[in-house]
Amino acid sequence: AKNTLALYARTIIVMLVSLYVSRVLLDKLGVDDYGVYNVVGSIVVLFSFLNNALTASSQRFLTVALGENDDDKMRRVFNTSISIQIILVIVSIVLLELGGTWFLNNRLNIPIERIEAANYAFQFSILTFAMNFIRVPYSASVVAYERLDFFAYASIVDAVLKLGIAFMIGITGVDRLVTYAFLLACESFIMLLIYRLFCIRTFDGICEYKGILDKKIFREMFMFSGWTLFGGFSNVATQNGFLFMLNMFC
């Protein structure tokens, strides 16, 4: 009941703040930059299907190990999850830098005077993506241990920080699109630190990364997440592909 109430409060507050953030961003960025950021960010979001699939996989294996009261297995699952995330982040960054940069500069319709700012925003969006990706095993650990009160509070802090960023971009005096993308990357780093510190201090050494990559767990996690990856990619490609089609042809 406590977890349910916390999640209801989280959902309501985050939804209201998000609706207001959209209004503030449209006002501060303007129509063109708001559209540019959405389409530039969509290139990076295409890779979020990996994030969603591995979140479910990490939660499942951590929960099973927790149910078995096997702390050693918990540590191996957590470390393997982090190692997988690091590998996928590196691969994703290489693909985004090669294919994403080319697509941004050669296929998307972006005003010529905003192309440089769009490229900066793209680089900061990649950093944001990497931070959120590395955070997956920590958030999965929070859910596995059913500390949903912290999850709710962290989500509210996340939403409030993004609201603060929306107001800040209007008073910095620097290019607003670039500033917004940069501050979002900083905010993602702060949230990663919050999750990491909470997990390390709360879960008794389970969430300390020591560079372990258990090959057996590695194979099992990828087999488990196989169909989720396929479904997640189809969903993300549909939603973001629509934005690309609007930008390129409409």
Side-chain angles (χ1 to χ4, degrees):
K2 179 183 175 183
N3 284 334
T4 301
L5 289 173
L7 290 178
Y8 266 118
R10 165 194 175 271
T11 301
I12 293 169
I13 294 172
V14 170
M15 179 179 64
L16 292 175
V17 172
S18 298
L19 287 171
Y20 190 65
V21 165
S22 297
R23 175 182 176 179
V24 175
L25 278 179
L26 186 57
D27 177 58
K28 300 294 184 182
L29 289 177
V31 175
D32 287 342
D33 279 356
Y34 186 79
V36 168
Y37 184 80
N38 278 333
V39 76
V40 167
S42 294
I43 302 175
V44 180
V45 171
L46 277 174
F47 287 79
S48 67
F49 72 96
L50 293 170
N51 194 324
N52 297 333
L54 290 170
T55 298
S57 181
S58 298
Q59 286 177 4
R60 185 265 183 190
F61 281 87
L62 285 167
T63 303
V64 169
L66 181 62
E68 295 171 352
N69 292 316
D70 189 339
D71 287 348
D72 180 62
K73 186 176 180 180
M74 285 280 290
R75 292 186 183 91
R76 285 186 286 114
V77 169
F78 178 83
N79 273 261
T80 300
S81 297
I82 291 281
S83 297
I84 291 173
Q85 302 297 96
I86 292 173
I87 293 169
L88 290 177
V89 162
I90 293 171
V91 173
S92 299
I93 289 175
V94 171
L95 293 175
L96 284 167
E97 291 291 356
L98 295 175
T101 303
W102 173 85
F103 186 69
L104 170 65
N105 289 283
N106 294 279
R107 286 292 179 264
L108 293 179
N109 290 319
I110 296 174
I112 190 67
E113 67 274 8
R114 301 304 294 150
I115 195 68
E116 183 179 0
N119 276 278
Y120 277 112
F122 180 63
Q123 297 301 318
F124 288 128
S125 295
I126 293 175
L127 279 177
T128 302
F129 163 78
M131 299 297 176
N132 291 336
F133 214 80
I134 297 297
R135 197 173 77 198
V136 164
Y138 295 103
S139 58
S141 300
V142 170
V143 174
Y145 277 98
E146 297 184 2
R147 291 300 304 269
L148 300 184
D149 53 343
F150 169 79
F151 178 73
Y153 300 145
S155 298
I156 293 170
V157 170
D158 184 35
V160 171
L161 285 175
K162 287 176 178 174
L163 178 61
I165 288 171
F167 281 110
M168 284 177 63
I169 59 176
I171 59 175
T172 58
V174 186
D175 187 291
R176 293 187 177 189
L177 177 60
V178 176
T179 301
Y180 178 61
F182 170 73
L183 290 176
L184 277 186
C186 294
E187 189 268 345
S188 296
F189 179 68
I190 292 170
M191 293 307 301
L192 172 61
L193 286 181
I194 289 173
Y195 270 89
R196 185 174 183 275
L197 290 173
F198 175 81
C199 290
I200 289 175
R201 293 181 178 181
T202 307
F203 302 141
D204 194 24
I206 298 296
C207 297
E208 292 182 6
Y209 181 59
K210 298 179 179 179
I212 300 171
L213 178 61
D214 189 299
K215 294 181 179 178
K216 182 175 181 293
I217 295 174
F218 179 86
R219 287 195 302 271
E220 290 177 350
M221 290 183 74
F222 263 101
M223 289 176 64
F224 177 82
S225 60
W227 283 108
T228 310
L229 284 169
F230 180 75
F233 173 74
S234 301
N235 185 45
V236 170
T238 300
Q239 293 177 359
N240 292 278
F242 178 70
L243 289 175
F244 296 146
M245 299 293 275
L246 282 177
N247 176 269
M248 295 166 67
F249 300 108
C250 302

